[in-house]
Amino acid sequence: MKTLRILSLAILAFFASCSSDNDETVTANELDGLTKIQEMTNDTHVVELYSATGTLQQGHNAISLRIKNKATNEYEKNATVSWSPLMYMMSMQHACPYSAVTKTSGKETLYNGYIVFQMAQNDTEYWKLKVNYTINGTEYNVDEIISVPASAKRRVTSFTGTDGSKYVLALIEPTNPKVALNDIKMGVFKMENMTSFPIVNDYTVKIDPRMPSMGNHGSPNNVNLTQSATDLLYHGKLSLTMTGYWKINLQLLNSANEVLKGEEITETTTESSIYFEVEF
């Protein structure tokens, strides 16, 4: 009987160990390709922010997060999450374009979305991120300052169109440009007020990539960006024929095909007033 009791305890310990190992493996696998940006804490949870680089920067940012329960040290699997970024300036506060937060496909504890920071922080102005979440009917939130330095190349542009509306354009892809016909993706947003920047529908973004250091030559086979019904973002094709610095000149057209901002490149007009930069 004593031998049987010892054997039973050993079996239970074995399965408990396997279960613990499996939990740790699941938790580790959730973060493939991600690096932690920072932690945000309240009395109950630690909210961990992640990105591919482990940093944020001015422009479009794909961000993942997970929520760890301080009492159990386990990650929450059934939370409803939203967020609201806010820029604190000397004279006012404003938000920026951002997506909903959804459960990451194929993951148990990971949630994701994007935020487009149209401005970088400086010595006196900074961004705060508030994360709201509900677990089992209980509401929580955490609110902390985040670091958003300027990007090395222009990845976002803000302007007032000829219609009097303020727009934000953000370059999303390519993240790793190549000498090829690259997929290009952008977000096109209109400012409704200081806290609302919805995606605009049925616009067109014309592109004309040029190499200023090489006689401002262009490239063939570019495809202007139009809106996808799947993700509501704007997709096209970007032709890059050699490595180096490229200026992607832009024109924004509304649904009536009227130019709201940007100029066509000619012999006398060598760059548009709105553009992105790519160097590789």
Side-chain angles (χ1 to χ4, degrees), residues 245-259:
Y245 171 81
W246 289 83
K247 180 174 285 187
I248 307 172
N249 297 284
L250 308 171
Q251 287 182 288
L252 179 65
L253 284 68
N254 63 16
S255 56
N257 215 36
E258 301 166 331
V259 176

Side-chain angles (χ1 to χ4, degrees), residues 38-94:
Q38 72 178 72
E39 295 182 349
M40 306 168 66
T41 63
N42 56 26
D43 292 339
T44 312
H45 298 98
V46 178
V47 176
E48 302 172 347
L49 302 181
Y50 294 87
S51 71
T53 61
T55 60
L56 301 172
Q57 63 175 325
Q58 182 183 10
H60 175 275
N61 294 262
I63 304 171
S64 297
L65 66 84
R66 57 182 187 168
I67 304 166
K68 183 167 68 174
N69 187 303
K70 286 183 175 180
T72 64
N73 212 36
E74 295 180 351
Y75 289 93
E76 303 290 352
K77 298 180 179 180
N78 296 294
T80 301
V81 186
S82 65
W83 53 22
S84 53
L86 197 63
M87 177 72 163
Y88 286 76
M89 304 183 69
M90 294 294 290
S91 58
M92 63 177 180
Q93 300 172 9
H94 66 79

Side-chain angles (χ1 to χ4, degrees), residues 208-211 214-220 222 239 241 246:
D208 188 347
R210 300 279 176 153
M211 294 196 81
M214 303 290 290
N216 213 40
H217 75 71
S219 61
N222 293 284
S239 175
T241 55
W246 289 83

Side-chain angles (χ1 to χ4, degrees), residues 124-167:
T124 58
E125 300 168 331
Y126 59 92
W127 286 94
K128 291 187 75 174
L129 180 63
K130 184 176 184 180
V131 179
N132 302 290
Y133 55 100
T134 303
I135 301 171
N136 296 327
T138 302
E139 297 180 354
Y140 305 90
N141 69 77
V142 61
D143 185 8
E144 290 192 14
I145 293 174
I146 53 176
S147 177
V148 184
S151 55
K153 294 291 183 289
R154 181 176 292 199
R155 303 169 55 243
V156 62
T157 181
S158 305
F159 54 86
T160 300
T162 57
D163 59 354
S165 297
K166 294 184 178 180
Y167 293 92

Side-chain angles (χ1 to χ4, degrees), residues 134-269:
T134 303
I135 301 171
N136 296 327
T138 302
E139 297 180 354
Y140 305 90
N141 69 77
V142 61
D143 185 8
E144 290 192 14
I145 293 174
I146 53 176
S147 177
V148 184
S151 55
K153 294 291 183 289
R154 181 176 292 199
R155 303 169 55 243
V156 62
T157 181
S158 305
F159 54 86
T160 300
T162 57
D163 59 354
S165 297
K166 294 184 178 180
Y167 293 92
V168 177
L169 270 61
L171 179 64
I172 302 173
E173 293 179 0
T175 53
N176 296 296
K178 299 177 181 178
V179 177
L181 190 61
N182 297 262
D183 290 326
I184 183 169
K185 180 165 63 173
M186 298 182 193
V188 181
F189 310 91
K190 179 188 288 188
M191 178 180 172
E192 285 186 338
N193 54 54
M194 298 298 284
T195 59
S196 179
F197 295 75
I199 290 174
V200 296
N201 298 316
D202 301 323
Y203 280 29
T204 300
V205 183
K206 288 187 175 182
I207 58 172
D208 188 347
R210 300 279 176 153
M211 294 196 81
S213 65
M214 303 290 290
N216 213 40
H217 75 71
S219 61
N221 304 318
N222 293 284
V223 178
N224 294 326
L225 288 80
T226 56
Q227 190 177 29
S228 166
T230 303
D231 61 8
L232 301 182
L233 298 170
Y234 286 72
H235 297 252
K237 295 290 184 179
L238 173 66
S239 175
L240 301 175
T241 55
M242 61 187 298
T243 59
Y245 171 81
W246 289 83
K247 180 174 285 187
I248 307 172
N249 297 284
L250 308 171
Q251 287 182 288
L252 179 65
L253 284 68
N254 63 16
S255 56
N257 215 36
E258 301 166 331
V259 176
L260 300 178
K261 187 72 173 179
E263 295 75 35
E264 183 179 355
I265 305 306
T266 65
E267 290 185 1
T268 56
T269 303

